[in-house]
């Protein structure tokens, strides 16, 4: 069996990291020799098979030393396939792979580009280094179309493989129909997740409707950040909760590994992101048979059909966010329950473990 080396930032609590952990575990189950390499001090959040070789590069060292050690590792590791898990990892890997033409390289994309590309994508585009990849694998169709348009030379290398969600783990349960609807959110407290604008929409919802809608939101996500900018953004959001008198409406929690156990306690789930790849959170929500209120970005509408199993909104428009919640609050208990049933139907049509892993194996063995 081929040796596969996967390069990632970490196995922290994010959705991309969850997909990476699942993919590695499946590859090991198929008999592949898998090594996962990271170069941050972030502790592993997701469990992985003991058969996976775990390599930590430069723990406790400066960023410069970490980078140099990572580049040397990529240049010298004995492997048949290198999988770079994100555009950043592709940049750090592909230049070294120019010296190793016989190693197959698979570049995995985890987000959808909006407005303008970030610095990593600019490097990949301007240098043309993406052409060293044997395959480029976006996790959503929106990004696949975007890359084909921006980099026509990649068109034949682009293979979309959407995320996998364990439908046997995230089982469907009846919507509880709590007297005060409970709304669940599982994502990081970052600008991408639209924390501030979401709070503003809740404030408008309450004030404009004279506080007639009763609900409670539990938001689980990482709020311990390495940068001052991210920390400031989170702290400003917490202050907005107080300023907008939302303390009785929203509770902030640490990230959790028990998502599949918590989702069944909620009446409806939400994800207000500005952009996504193929959202792990939404896929888990619909597997559990929950209505979803979320932003109409990227491939979200593949999983949430407006009016069928949830409501979509424009994440840049607080009025749109607010109106999506009003639409939900104004439907009957029976309609909410039927939306949950429809969510599970959509999930079962989308997620197939064998199809997911065979899609990657096809590229590995090509």
């Amino acid at each position: 069996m081929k040796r596969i080396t996967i390069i990632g930032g970490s196995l922290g609590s994010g959705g991309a990291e969850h997909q990476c952990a699942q993919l590695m575990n499946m590859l090991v189950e198929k008999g592949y020799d898998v090594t996962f390499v990271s170069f941050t001090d972030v502790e592993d959040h997701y469990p992985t098979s003991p058969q996976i070789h775990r390599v930590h590069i430069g723990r406790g060292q400066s960023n410069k030393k970490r980078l140099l050690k990572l580049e040397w590792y990529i240049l010298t590791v004995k492997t048949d396939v290198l999988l770079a898990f994100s555009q950043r990892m592709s940049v750090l890997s592909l230049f070294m792979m120019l010296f190793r033409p016989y190693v197959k390289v698979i570049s995995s994309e985890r987000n959808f580009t909006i407005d303008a590309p970030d610095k990593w994508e600019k490097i990949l585009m301007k240098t043309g280094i993406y052409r060293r990849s044997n395959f480029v694998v976006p996790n959503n169709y929106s990004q696949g179309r975007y890359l084909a348009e921006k980099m026509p030379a990649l068109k034949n290398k682009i293979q979309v493989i959407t995320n996998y969600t364990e439908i046997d783990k995230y089982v469907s349960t009846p919507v509880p129909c709590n007297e005060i609807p409970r709304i669940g959110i599982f994502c990081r407290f970052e600008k991408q997740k639209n924390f501030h604008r979401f709070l503003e929409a809740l404030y408008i919802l309450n004030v404009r409707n004279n506080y007639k809608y009763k609900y409670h939101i539990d938001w689980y996500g990482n709020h311990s950040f390495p940068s001052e900018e991210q920390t400031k953004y989170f702290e400003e959001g917490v202050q907005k909760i107080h300023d907008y008198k939302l303390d009785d409406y929203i509770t902030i929690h640490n990230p959790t590994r028990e998502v599949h156990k918590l989702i069944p306690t909620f009446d409806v789930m939400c994800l207000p992101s500005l952009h996504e790849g193929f959202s792990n959170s939404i896929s888990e929500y619909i597997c559990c048979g929950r209505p979803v209120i979320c932003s109409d970005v990227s491939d979200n509408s593949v999983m949430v059909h407006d009016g069928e199993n949830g409501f979509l909104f424009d994440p840049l428009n607080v009025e749109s966010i607010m109106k999506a919640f009003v639409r939900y609050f104004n439907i009957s208990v029976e309609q909410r329950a039927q939306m949950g049933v429809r969510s599970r139907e959509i999930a079962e049509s989308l997620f197939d473990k064998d199809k997911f892993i065979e899609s990657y194996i096809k590229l590995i063995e090509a």
Side-chain angles (χ1 to χ4, degrees), residues 112 138 140-147 160 276-277 297-300:
F112 172 50
N140 63 92
Y141 295 103
S142 300
Q143 186 71 358
R145 291 189 292 268
Y146 167 82
L147 290 174
V160 176
E276 288 288 335
V297 295
S298 191
D299 285 11
N300 286 1

Side-chain angles (χ1 to χ4, degrees), residues 1 44 58 71 134 150 175 200 248 259 291 297 363:
M1 276 294 195
D44 291 356
E71 297 291 74
N134 296 82
K150 293 294 183 181
V175 175
E200 185 178 346
D248 293 335
V259 175
V297 295
L363 303 185

Side-chain angles (χ1 to χ4, degrees), residues 187 192-194 271-276 295-297 300 313 315:
C187 64
Q192 178 197 342
K193 304 305 181 181
N194 212 17
L271 189 68
S273 308
L274 295 172
H275 58 93
E276 288 288 335
S295 49
D296 189 5
V297 295
N300 286 1
F313 57 75

Side-chain angles (χ1 to χ4, degrees), residues 83-87 90 106-110 130 135 137-138 360:
L83 195 160
F85 216 76
S86 77
Q87 288 184 333
S90 291
I106 300 173
S107 294
S108 177
E109 295 239 357
R110 313 312 304 171
Y130 237 170
F135 298 102
V137 183
Y360 273 100

Side-chain angles (χ1 to χ4, degrees), residues 33-155:
D33 182 348
V34 178
T35 298
F36 180 74
V37 184
S38 65
F39 67 112
T40 70
D41 291 338
V42 176
E43 294 299 323
D44 291 356
H45 180 82
Y46 296 107
T48 54
S49 167
Q51 295 176 270
I52 295 169
H53 309 292
R54 187 69 175 87
V55 177
H56 298 272
I57 299 286
R59 273 195 158 181
Q61 297 182 339
S62 68
N63 289 336
K64 184 177 180 179
K65 286 185 177 180
R66 292 176 203 257
L67 180 59
L68 290 172
K69 287 188 174 183
L70 177 66
E71 297 291 74
W72 179 251
Y73 183 93
I74 293 169
L75 189 62
T76 59
V77 63
K78 294 180 179 179
T79 192
D80 300 300
V81 179
L82 186 140
L83 195 160
F85 216 76
S86 77
Q87 288 184 333
R88 180 189 184 195
M89 296 303 107
S90 291
V91 169
L92 297 178
S93 302
L94 289 173
F95 285 105
M96 293 297 101
M97 286 293 104
L98 290 174
F99 301 99
R100 305 188 66 185
Y102 299 110
V103 175
K104 181 176 291 183
V105 180
I106 300 173
S107 294
S108 177
E109 295 239 357
R110 313 312 304 171
N111 273 314
F112 172 50
T113 304
I114 59 170
D115 298 329
D118 64 14
K119 65 178 180 180
W120 303 110
E121 187 173 308
K122 287 178 181 177
I123 293 172
L124 291 167
M125 285 183 172
K126 290 182 177 180
T127 63
I129 193 65
Y130 237 170
R131 285 178 297 206
R132 172 60 185 88
S133 297
N134 296 82
F135 298 102
V136 177
V137 183
N139 72 338
N140 63 92
Y141 295 103
S142 300
Q143 186 71 358
R145 291 189 292 268
Y146 167 82
L147 290 174
E149 179 183 341
K150 293 294 183 181
M151 292 181 272
L154 291 180
K155 189 171 183 179

